Amino acid sequence: MKKTKPKYMQIIDAAVIVIAENGYHQAQVSKIAKQAGVADGTIYLYFKNKEDILISLFEEKMGSFIEEIDQMIAGKGTATEKLLMMIEAHFNLLSADHHLAIVTQLELRQSNKDLRLRINDVLKGYLKVIDKIIIEGKESDEFSSDLDVRLARQMIFGTIDETATSWVMNEEKYEITKLASPVHRLLINGFRSR
Amino acid sequence: MKKTKPKYMQIIDAAVIVIAENGYHQAQVSKIAKQAGVADGTIYLYFKNKEDILISLFEEKMGSFIEEIDQMIAGKGTATEKLLMMIEAHFNLLSADHHLAIVTQLELRQSNKDLRLRINDVLKGYLKVIDKIIIEGKESDEFSSDLDVRLARQMIFGTIDETATSWVMNEEKYEITKLASPVHRLLINGFRSR
Amino acid sequence: MKKTKPKYMQIIDAAVIVIAENGYHQAQVSKIAKQAGVADGTIYLYFKNKEDILISLFEEKMGSFIEEIDQMIAGKGTATEKLLMMIEAHFNLLSADHHLAIVTQLELRQSNKDLRLRINDVLKGYLKVIDKIIIEGKESDEFSSDLDVRLARQMIFGTIDETATSWVMNEEKYEITKLASPVHRLLINGFRSR
Amino acid sequence: MKKTKPKYMQIIDAAVIVIAENGYHQAQVSKIAKQAGVADGTIYLYFKNKEDILISLFEEKMGSFIEEIDQMIAGKGTATEKLLMMIEAHFNLLSADHHLAIVTQLELRQSNKDLRLRINDVLKGYLKVIDKIIIEGKESDEFSSDLDVRLARQMIFGTIDETATSWVMNEEKYEITKLASPVHRLLINGFRSR
DNA sequence: CATGAATGAGGCTTCATTCAT
DNA sequence: CATGAATGAAGCCTCATTCAT
């Protein structure tokens, strides 16, 4: 509904820019409104409150990304190949959108516990995709049959996330996209049945 | 110096409890003072400002932990064994101190960028310990000679951190200490030369 | 700009009253807001901070006074007559506004060095007006040709200021406006060429 | 009594230095104590409270100055000569003690109304000396018989004070002692019977 | 739909003073 | 006499949200 109105995405995109350039705690509603070219009050016609902007931001940006991933890896290829595709897609996304990388890896983590719980809800979709790959890998005997799915998922997500955060913190001095393959190899090595 | 005065640690311990029980943004100085059993102003005889309490908290708790780890793994054992000791020590620390686990895994991450940079300085000591183990493992041929140290470090740290955060977020429903061994095995599998 | 908005002067007038009645150090922002009939936060829509209220107060009240004086004495009359007009205008201003007299002669002097420097900037305009009169008097030979302008200025300003301060400190028990003429005579006697 | 103890003057001298170098509002009791080489608490063995230090400071420094003046001008000379001696003594005092000049002309004026009233009590002794000179001058017919004593006193004090304050504000760039004679001449011109 | 002026709660920090040693 | 660690009251300012226009 609201989401089809042009100002909805306009405000979210403004929020990404403002947060990336000013930091989470300096991203006042009035600043986002000015960046979006609307009045402060207009924000509240599209979002319940400030937290709602941030949740929606994460849902729109990461939610659509997760769906893409899900479709991208549907059917074709082995679990090993799918994992590579996923990591590559993840690193490509961050590499392509400088502002979004800063916001998701650094700034949004400063949000309070409530907001982080809501963000985790969105991430659960991502974790499910990871779980699907792991289970598929175990069934196809690519991965060890006694591989603990939760641990493997935490390893994959933790490694990708830490790699991405380090890269952003180092001011993106190197090409993160080139890390997809070696990261993938390390993970697969750990999971492989032998 | 300051650190030998009993009130210094008294205030830090109070801060851990107050932050864990009320959350980062609800941890007012007055609350910490009351918990420590001192007057508000007394805090400022031992700490420059509120941020200084939090930095000191992290330095005292994690800094000493890192030193312990460093000494614990000095000399004895293979890199593989040392990595296990480190993971066990990390999980034991969090498991033994419920409040500290919440503070370091969840609450302190809400701090602003300045504080997080200072926290990262402390963590660098931890990352150095990890690096030492990795390099030792490569030299002893336990780990693959073409293992990228930075990637391996990010994999180790990311996996441990994500495992710990998930555990805290799940309200510590399971024994995280039991995860040390399987986490270790997964990591070693990934690094092993073959 | 701001200055045309009614609340701007409303807040400044409130500040004069609150400072006069409570003293400089007891003039909290919340008290000024209440006196002005606005919320505390509204103050900060019109002033950068508390100091800005006080500077603006002085600029508005004295600044406009100085401009008035400047225009009043433009052209018409001798230097001697102009000096009288100036002294009368000054005493009339204080006499007409009890609160303002207290604020400018007693309370605002308690401000810190920064604020006092800003206040001095405003006063420089007044000193320039005085200087103009002195120079004119010297040129017209009303005043001695070897009269030191700086000294004469300090004598005029010092005498007026001390007279006013004494009057306020004596709780305005006598009519200060009646002092304009004798003060003027004394000063002119001192300056006269003979 | 207390005043004969060496630490009494030690603390007052420390206060002058601390206030001159840090400003009135940055002259904390602890800073004065450190400068005096005593413990904070020791201050309160010699002074009732902080205000008492400042009043005592003014009493000791200006009080003794006023007594000196009073004796210096006793008997000898005309009123005109006495006025010159007084102005010279005043300017010499400020010129000889840089710190004291800053404290009395700039910093102590920031004190609250109560303290300033107490300071005025001390100054009354000075004003009495001035009054004596004026009355003597009127009786000897040096000054006009219809000279208003209060106005003349305010003129003398206001001029001296403004001259001194301007000199301190201009960072004492010129020799204030050289101004005694011309200031004196201007005042005498104003008062002279003719 | 859109505006933007107005609201008002809430917390970190300073520093004069005390008093047990 | 002297110390100095401890006290605790008190205020400026920010910014998410509302609502009259």
Side-chain angles (χ1 to χ4, degrees):
Chain A
M1 33 161 191
K2 281 178 189 170
K3 315 208 174 181
T4 62
K5 307 270 174 91
K7 287 195 178 157
Y8 176 82
M9 283 310 295
Q10 199 172 319
I11 291 167
I12 284 184
D13 288 335
V16 173
I17 293 171
V18 169
I19 294 173
E21 295 187 346
N22 299 275
Y24 180 81
H25 289 290
Q26 282 307 305
Q28 294 86 350
V29 171
S30 60
K31 233 179 233 166
I32 295 173
K34 179 177 257 181
Q35 172 74 32
V38 300
D40 294 18
T42 305
I43 299 267
Y44 292 85
L45 298 174
Y46 295 90
F47 300 91
K48 207 155 74 286
N49 49 35
K50 185 178 179 181
E51 189 173 304
D52 190 27
I53 307 176
L54 305 176
I55 293 169
S56 302
L57 182 166
F58 204 81
E59 282 175 354
E60 292 294 333
K61 297 297 183 183
M62 291 307 285
S64 65
F65 165 69
I66 292 165
E67 279 172 33
E68 271 179 51
I69 295 282
D70 204 22
Q71 289 169 1
M72 191 187 301
I73 65 177
K76 44 198 164 183
T78 63
T80 301
E81 287 164 354
K82 285 178 178 176
L83 183 60
L84 179 58
M85 289 174 71
M86 196 196 75
I87 297 172
E88 279 176 341
H90 194 138
F91 287 172
N92 284 340
L93 175 74
L94 297 180
S95 192
D97 192 336
H98 175 58
H99 283 144
L100 188 62
I102 293 173
V103 171
T104 58
Q105 298 303 129
L106 298 186
E107 301 300 340
L108 234 42
R109 318 239 158 161
Q110 302 176 49
S111 57
N112 61 40
K113 214 188 284 176
D114 281 350
L115 180 49
R116 291 225 306 299
L117 286 176
R118 300 288 308 273
I119 286 177
N120 273 332
D121 283 344
V122 179
L123 283 181
K124 268 178 196 155
Y126 193 34
L127 301 182
K128 272 184 197 163
V129 174
I130 296 178
D131 280 8
K132 274 203 288 190
I133 296 177
I134 297 168
I135 291 166
E136 194 181 319
K138 287 177 69 174
E139 285 171 351
S140 68
D141 212 34
E142 291 168 80
F143 303 158
S144 166
S145 61
D146 60 358
L147 182 64
D148 182 294
V149 176
R150 188 180 63 203
L151 272 192
R153 175 219 305 150
Q154 288 168 356
M155 190 169 186
I156 292 171
F157 185 79
T159 301
I160 292 176
D161 191 55
E162 176 65 18
T163 306
T165 301
S166 289
W167 171 73
V168 175
M169 278 201 165
N170 279 296
E171 288 164 349
E172 315 183 2
K173 281 182 190 139
Y174 45 89
E175 286 269 0
I176 193 176
T177 50
K178 289 186 180 158
L179 296 183
S181 174
V183 163
H184 173 253
R185 201 177 321 126
L186 274 179
L187 290 168
I188 291 298
N189 274 348
F191 301 158
R192 189 149 36 207
S193 48
R194 58 202 77 226
Chain B
M1 45 159 65
K2 280 178 187 174
K3 317 212 169 178
T4 64
K5 307 221 179 147
K7 293 210 169 138
Y8 177 82
M9 284 310 297
Q10 197 172 323
I11 291 166
I12 284 183
D13 289 336
V16 173
I17 294 171
V18 169
I19 294 173
E21 296 187 345
N22 300 275
Y24 180 81
H25 290 291
Q26 280 308 303
Q28 294 89 346
V29 171
S30 60
K31 235 178 232 166
I32 295 173
K34 181 175 256 181
Q35 172 74 33
V38 300
D40 292 18
T42 305
I43 299 266
Y44 292 87
L45 297 177
Y46 297 90
F47 301 92
K48 211 159 69 270
N49 49 36
K50 185 179 177 181
E51 186 173 305
D52 191 29
I53 307 176
L54 306 176
I55 292 169
S56 303
L57 182 167
F58 202 82
E59 283 176 352
E60 291 294 332
K61 297 297 183 183
M62 291 309 286
S64 63
F65 166 68
I66 291 165
E67 278 173 33
E68 270 179 51
I69 295 282
D70 204 21
Q71 289 169 1
M72 190 188 301
I73 66 176
K76 47 198 164 185
T78 63
T80 302
E81 287 163 353
K82 286 178 178 177
L83 184 59
L84 179 58
M85 290 174 70
M86 197 194 75
I87 298 171
E88 280 176 339
H90 194 137
F91 286 173
N92 283 341
L93 175 75
L94 296 181
S95 190
D97 193 337
H98 174 57
H99 284 141
L100 188 62
I102 294 174
V103 171
T104 57
Q105 297 302 129
L106 296 185
E107 299 300 341
L108 234 42
R109 319 233 160 165
Q110 302 176 48
S111 58
N112 61 41
K113 216 184 277 175
D114 280 350
L115 180 48
R116 290 224 312 299
L117 284 177
R118 300 290 306 272
I119 287 178
N120 273 334
D121 282 343
V122 178
L123 282 182
K124 269 179 197 155
Y126 193 33
L127 302 183
K128 272 185 196 163
V129 173
I130 296 178
D131 280 7
K132 274 203 287 191
I133 296 176
I134 297 169
I135 290 167
E136 193 180 319
K138 288 179 68 175
E139 285 170 352
S140 67
D141 212 35
E142 291 167 82
F143 302 160
S144 167
S145 62
D146 60 356
L147 181 64
D148 183 292
V149 175
R150 189 179 62 204
L151 273 193
R153 175 219 305 151
Q154 288 168 355
M155 191 171 186
I156 293 172
F157 186 79
T159 302
I160 292 176
D161 192 56
E162 176 65 18
T163 306
T165 300
S166 289
W167 171 73
V168 176
M169 278 202 164
N170 279 296
E171 290 164 348
E172 313 180 4
K173 281 179 190 141
Y174 44 88
E175 284 269 0
I176 192 175
T177 51
K178 289 186 181 159
L179 296 183
S181 174
V183 163
H184 174 253
R185 199 176 324 125
L186 273 179
L187 289 168
I188 289 298
N189 274 350
F191 300 157
R192 186 145 41 204
S193 46
R194 58 201 76 226
Chain C
M1 43 160 66
K2 278 178 188 171
K3 315 208 171 181
T4 64
K5 307 219 180 153
K7 292 207 171 144
Y8 177 81
M9 284 310 298
Q10 197 173 321
I11 291 166
I12 283 183
D13 290 334
V16 173
I17 294 171
V18 169
I19 293 174
E21 296 187 345
N22 300 274
Y24 180 81
H25 290 291
Q26 281 308 305
Q28 294 88 347
V29 171
S30 60
K31 238 178 230 166
I32 296 174
K34 182 176 257 179
Q35 173 72 34
V38 300
D40 293 18
T42 305
I43 299 265
Y44 293 87
L45 296 178
Y46 297 90
F47 301 92
K48 213 157 70 275
N49 48 37
K50 185 180 177 179
E51 187 173 305
D52 191 28
I53 307 177
L54 306 176
I55 292 170
S56 304
L57 181 166
F58 203 81
E59 283 175 353
E60 291 294 332
K61 297 296 183 183
M62 292 308 286
S64 64
F65 166 68
I66 291 166
E67 278 173 33
E68 270 179 50
I69 296 282
D70 204 21
Q71 289 170 3
M72 191 186 301
I73 65 176
K76 42 198 166 186
T78 62
T80 302
E81 287 164 352
K82 285 178 178 176
L83 184 59
L84 179 58
M85 290 174 70
M86 197 194 76
I87 298 171
E88 281 176 340
H90 194 137
F91 287 173
N92 284 341
L93 176 74
L94 297 180
S95 191
D97 193 336
H98 174 58
H99 284 142
L100 188 61
I102 295 174
V103 171
T104 58
Q105 296 302 129
L106 298 184
E107 300 301 340
L108 235 40
R109 319 234 160 164
Q110 303 176 46
S111 57
N112 61 41
K113 216 183 279 176
D114 280 351
L115 180 48
R116 288 224 312 299
L117 285 176
R118 300 290 307 270
I119 286 177
N120 275 332
D121 282 344
V122 179
L123 283 181
K124 269 179 196 154
Y126 194 33
L127 301 182
K128 272 184 196 163
V129 173
I130 297 178
D131 280 8
K132 274 201 289 189
I133 296 176
I134 298 168
I135 290 166
E136 195 181 318
K138 288 178 67 174
E139 284 171 352
S140 67
D141 211 35
E142 292 167 81
F143 303 160
S144 166
S145 63
D146 60 356
L147 181 66
D148 183 293
V149 176
R150 189 179 61 203
L151 273 192
R153 176 218 306 149
Q154 288 167 356
M155 191 171 186
I156 294 171
F157 186 80
T159 301
I160 293 176
D161 193 56
E162 177 65 19
T163 306
T165 300
S166 289
W167 170 74
V168 176
M169 277 201 165
N170 279 296
E171 289 165 350
E172 313 180 5
K173 282 179 191 142
Y174 44 91
E175 284 268 2
I176 193 174
T177 50
K178 289 185 180 159
L179 297 183
S181 175
V183 163
H184 174 253
R185 200 176 323 125
L186 275 179
L187 289 168
I188 290 297
N189 275 347
F191 300 159
R192 190 150 33 207
S193 45
R194 58 200 79 222
Chain D
M1 35 163 191
K2 281 175 187 170
K3 316 205 171 183
T4 63
K5 307 270 175 90
K7 285 194 180 161
Y8 177 82
M9 283 309 298
Q10 198 172 318
I11 290 167
I12 284 183
D13 289 335
V16 173
I17 293 172
V18 169
I19 294 173
E21 294 186 347
N22 299 275
Y24 181 82
H25 289 290
Q26 281 308 303
Q28 294 87 350
V29 172
S30 61
K31 235 180 231 166
I32 296 173
K34 180 177 257 180
Q35 171 74 32
V38 300
D40 292 17
T42 305
I43 299 266
Y44 291 86
L45 298 175
Y46 295 89
F47 299 91
K48 208 156 77 283
N49 50 35
K50 185 179 178 180
E51 188 173 303
D52 191 26
I53 307 176
L54 305 177
I55 292 169
S56 303
L57 181 166
F58 204 80
E59 282 175 353
E60 293 294 334
K61 296 297 182 184
M62 291 308 285
S64 64
F65 166 67
I66 291 165
E67 279 173 32
E68 272 178 50
I69 295 281
D70 205 21
Q71 290 168 3
M72 191 186 300
I73 66 177
K76 44 198 166 186
T78 63
T80 303
E81 286 166 353
K82 285 178 179 176
L83 184 59
L84 179 58
M85 289 174 71
M86 197 194 75
I87 298 172
E88 280 177 340
H90 194 136
F91 287 174
N92 284 341
L93 175 75
L94 297 180
S95 191
D97 193 336
H98 175 58
H99 284 143
L100 188 62
I102 294 173
V103 171
T104 58
Q105 297 302 129
L106 297 186
E107 300 301 340
L108 234 43
R109 320 238 159 163
Q110 301 178 50
S111 58
N112 61 41
K113 216 189 283 175
D114 283 349
L115 180 48
R116 291 224 307 297
L117 286 176
R118 301 289 307 271
I119 286 177
N120 274 332
D121 283 344
V122 179
L123 284 181
K124 270 179 195 154
Y126 193 35
L127 301 183
K128 273 185 196 163
V129 174
I130 297 178
D131 279 8
K132 275 202 286 190
I133 295 177
I134 298 168
I135 290 166
E136 195 181 318
K138 288 178 68 173
E139 287 170 349
S140 68
D141 210 36
E142 291 167 81
F143 302 160
S144 167
S145 62
D146 60 356
L147 181 65
D148 183 291
V149 176
R150 189 179 64 205
L151 272 192
R153 175 218 305 150
Q154 288 168 356
M155 191 172 184
I156 293 171
F157 186 79
T159 301
I160 292 177
D161 192 55
E162 177 64 18
T163 306
T165 301
S166 289
W167 171 73
V168 175
M169 277 199 166
N170 278 298
E171 290 166 348
E172 314 182 4
K173 281 180 190 141
Y174 45 90
E175 285 269 1
I176 192 174
T177 51
K178 290 185 181 159
L179 296 183
S181 175
V183 163
H184 175 253
R185 199 177 321 126
L186 274 179
L187 289 168
I188 291 297
N189 274 350
F191 300 158
R192 189 147 35 204
S193 47
R194 60 200 77 222

